[in-house]
């Protein structure tokens, strides 16, 4: 992909999506930034960032994307894993149906896609570093949707020649993370500290997590 190619980023107002958007702009790419601002709030003013206020699971997604000469998509938009038990239908609507809309558009337009999956697909594993090819044991609705999306990409590759990359991110944190009890352990701990300088940890204290 040329350094001036236009790239679409879904979830561009969120933690990871905004970081991806800033990185792409630093490398000279114009960006189509897609978000419905239900979670993320970042919104840069940049003549080379075109904002599309759109829900990835909404009926107008394909039409909005087709307005632009997009040459690749980075699909970051997601319903938070921490809320998938409380809102399972919404989790499936956004993370499965919404993702399929993104993938189908990419497949039909022959546009490659980078998909942000999750370490949640591994579920409970033996207590040692998890190899990439460990068996998948999704234990939440969120994780099940991520596994389904990964499998769907393989099917669309066979059917349409779709080019894709999957990134199974572990817990993320960084500048721009809004206080939340549903978006990663660092955010949970910082939210507790900001609220009252007390950190509540449930479960064993010897657990470890990779953080990005």
């Amino acid at each position: 992909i040329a350094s001036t190619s236009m790239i679409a980023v879904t979830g561009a107002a969120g933690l990871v999506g905004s970081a991806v958007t800033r990185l792409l702009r630093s490398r000279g790419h114009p960006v189509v930034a897609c978000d419905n601002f239900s979670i993320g709030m970042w919104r840069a003013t940049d003549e080379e960032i075109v904002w599309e206020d759109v829900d990835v699971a909404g009926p107008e997604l394909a039409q909005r994307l087709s307005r632009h000469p997009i040459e690749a998509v980075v699909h970051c938009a997601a319903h938070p894993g921490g809320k998938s038990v409380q809102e399972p239908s919404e989790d499936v609507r956004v993370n499965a149906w919404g993702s399929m809309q993104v993938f189908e558009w990419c497949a039909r337009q022959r546009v490659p896609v980078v998909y942000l999956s999750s370490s949640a697909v591994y579920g409970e594993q033996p207590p040692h570093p998890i190899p990439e090819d460990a068996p998948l044991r999704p234990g939440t609705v969120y994780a099940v949707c991520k596994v389904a999306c990964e499998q769907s990409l393989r099917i669309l590759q066979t059917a349409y020649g779709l080019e894709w990359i999957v990134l199974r991110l572990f817990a993320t944190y960084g500048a721009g993370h809004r206080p939340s009890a549903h978006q990663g352990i660092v955010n949970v701990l910082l939210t507790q500290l900001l609220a009252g300088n007390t950190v509540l940890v449930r479960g064993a204290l010897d657990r470890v997590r990779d953080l990005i």
Side-chain angles (χ1 to χ4, degrees):
I1 296 176
S3 61
T4 57
S5 297
M6 177 171 281
I7 298 177
V9 179
T10 69
L15 173 67
V16 178
S18 62
V20 170
T21 300
R22 290 192 294 270
L23 177 64
L24 291 172
R25 286 297 303 121
S26 74
R27 296 184 176 181
H29 292 282
V31 174
V32 177
C34 302
D35 210 296
N36 65 355
F37 299 93
S38 61
I39 299 174
M41 299 299 293
W42 182 81
R43 186 167 188 150
T45 301
D46 182 331
E47 63 181 13
E48 293 297 326
I49 299 177
V50 179
W51 284 94
E52 288 285 357
D53 295 4
V54 62
D55 181 351
V56 293
E60 71 279 14
L61 178 70
Q63 183 267 331
R64 293 289 194 91
L65 291 175
S66 295
R67 292 176 177 178
H68 311 282
I70 295 166
E71 296 188 45
V73 173
V74 183
H75 180 34
C76 305
H79 182 264
K83 299 180 73 173
S84 68
V85 173
Q86 292 82 8
E87 301 174 357
S89 295
E90 180 66 4
D91 196 275
V92 172
R93 186 187 77 86
V94 176
N95 295 338
W97 172 250
S99 294
M100 181 55 77
Q101 291 209 119
V102 174
F103 300 160
E104 181 179 354
W105 184 87
C106 290
R108 293 186 183 280
Q109 301 298 320
R110 297 193 175 277
V111 170
V113 60
V114 177
Y115 173 54
L116 269 63
S117 185
S118 169
S119 63
V121 300
Y122 293 112
E124 295 296 327
Q125 296 283 340
H128 56 67
I130 302 171
E132 185 174 340
D133 59 356
L136 304 186
R137 297 169 179 159
T140 64
V141 174
Y142 174 84
V144 167
C145 289
K146 293 292 187 180
V147 172
C149 286
E150 291 186 11
Q151 297 298 324
S152 296
L153 287 170
R154 292 184 174 90
I155 294 168
L156 293 175
Q157 178 182 20
T158 300
Y160 292 88
L162 175 63
E163 297 180 44
W164 54 268
I165 294 173
V166 166
L167 303 176
R168 290 173 176 167
L169 300 189
F170 280 70
T172 57
Y173 70 98
H177 221 161
R178 295 175 61 198
S180 171
H182 306 290
Q183 291 189 283
I185 187 61
V186 172
N187 199 350
V188 170
L189 297 178
L190 290 177
T191 300
Q192 291 177 345
L193 288 170
L194 290 170
N197 202 32
T198 299
V199 174
L200 300 176
V201 179
R202 294 182 174 86
L205 296 177
D206 60 351
R207 294 173 297 173
V208 296
R209 290 292 302 273
D210 282 328
L211 303 170
I212 298 174

